[in-house]
Amino acid sequence: MRKPLVASLFALVITGAGAAPAVAAPDPAAAPVKTAVGTLVDTANKTVADLAAPAVQAVNFAGTVSLSNCSGSVVRMPDSEDNDPALVMTNGHCLESGFPDAGEVIVDQASTRTFGLLNSAGTRVGTLRASKIAYGTMTDTDMAVYQLTTTYAQIKSSYGIDALVYDTARPTVGTPITVVSGYWKRTYSCAVDGYAYRLKEGAWTWKDSIRYTSACKTIGGTSGSPVLNDATGKVVGVNNTGNESGGRCTDNNPCEVDANGTVTVRQGINYGQQTWHVPACFGVDNKLDLSASGCILPKP
């Protein structure tokens, strides 16, 4: 599980950002002179291309939160209302009470946990407080959802920040994604490489986990980070683990198990849990309803 580790901090310190290569400016004398007609044609072609291209949302830190030990985000369902109590999503293994046991599901448990709310630049602009753990588990998925003492409208009024919205569609293989860590104030960009039928780590087993391509080198503290679809900015998953040292199905070394029971170990590869099905489990006023049609989250 991706909780903060000294080794992770060390890795962050020694990892430098690559400098962009210098590019020589073209010689003005050698540059071709465009005619007025050529300029008009180029402009028209660019306009057509811009209209045909899908809108891409800039991924930033707005709406993400930092926890004492993990990352998270303020989230809302597609049909949530502004006056609904806001929700924060993180991992089940990030709960203040510790890791839930395999098979354990926590529902409506009182909590006063606080979260540092970040703006688009990753600056902490306020503190949010939970009223309860609405849902938490490490069975089939690794997810916790806190209900806050404030509404979406109050957060927007106080800080000018909107919640991130759940996507209700399963992301396809190849979808460009970004893991946004409020703990580290750092992003990790890659793509959906595929899905693990079962992902087993120690005592826990998760279903249909998102496997990232190797570019998402998430570290301790990124647990609970939202996984965003780069094209829409919507939440498609929650980051939770990775195989650190090549171990087979042990803590911090999850393995993939296919439908036939074949085990595959992918050292250095990281994973998240899908969230497309979460909105089906929350109804009016953001109330959890595990009996609702289409809700497949594990029940107590």
Side-chain angles (χ1 to χ4, degrees), residues 21-27:
V23 179
D27 181 358

Side-chain angles (χ1 to χ4, degrees), residues 115-264:
F115 312 90
L117 178 65
L118 307 185
N119 65 12
S120 61
T123 302
R124 180 171 176 152
V125 294
T127 300
L128 305 176
R129 185 176 295 275
S131 62
K132 66 179 180 180
I133 301 167
Y135 185 85
T137 192
M138 288 179 66
T139 299
D140 293 354
T141 186
D142 183 7
M143 187 182 67
V145 178
Y146 287 85
Q147 180 174 300
L148 303 183
T149 58
T150 46
T151 66
Y152 298 116
Q154 289 169 328
I155 294 173
K156 178 71 171 181
S157 176
S158 297
Y159 308 109
I161 293 174
D162 292 313
L164 301 175
V165 180
Y166 281 115
D167 197 336
T168 56
R170 187 177 191 265
T172 58
V173 173
T175 297
I177 54 174
T178 299
V179 178
V180 186
S181 171
Y183 184 92
W184 288 114
K185 301 177 179 60
R186 184 176 178 185
T187 61
Y188 303 80
S189 295
C190 56
V192 175
D193 183 58
Y195 295 93
Y197 175 74
R198 297 290 185 267
L199 189 67
K200 182 173 175 56
E201 179 173 345
W204 299 276
T205 300
W206 304 305
K207 295 180 178 180
D208 207 22
S209 303
I210 302 172
R211 182 196 317 119
Y212 311 148
T213 53
S214 60
C216 275
K217 300 185 182 301
T218 52
I219 59 176
T222 63
S223 286
S225 299
V227 181
L228 305 181
N229 182 324
D230 288 354
T232 64
K234 291 184 177 181
V235 179
V236 296
V238 57
N239 179 65
N240 79 309
T241 195
N243 188 294
E244 296 179 359
S245 59
R248 181 185 171 97
C249 315
T250 60
D251 290 352
N252 302 314
N253 289 290
C255 64
E256 297 184 22
V257 184
D258 70 15
N260 296 317
T262 302
V263 175
T264 302

Side-chain angles (χ1 to χ4, degrees), residues 75-145:
V75 290
R76 66 186 294 164
M77 313 302 152
D79 57 356
S80 291
E81 297 185 355
D82 292 343
N83 289 323
D84 288 342
L87 304 172
V88 161
M89 178 186 68
T90 186
N91 284 148
H93 79 256
C94 294
L95 290 169
E96 64 268 41
S97 54
F99 291 10
D101 293 332
E104 182 180 6
V105 176
I106 298 166
V107 174
D108 290 335
Q109 180 175 297
S111 175
T112 58
R113 193 169 194 180
T114 58
F115 312 90
L117 178 65
L118 307 185
N119 65 12
S120 61
T123 302
R124 180 171 176 152
V125 294
T127 300
L128 305 176
R129 185 176 295 275
S131 62
K132 66 179 180 180
I133 301 167
Y135 185 85
T137 192
M138 288 179 66
T139 299
D140 293 354
T141 186
D142 183 7
M143 187 182 67
V145 178

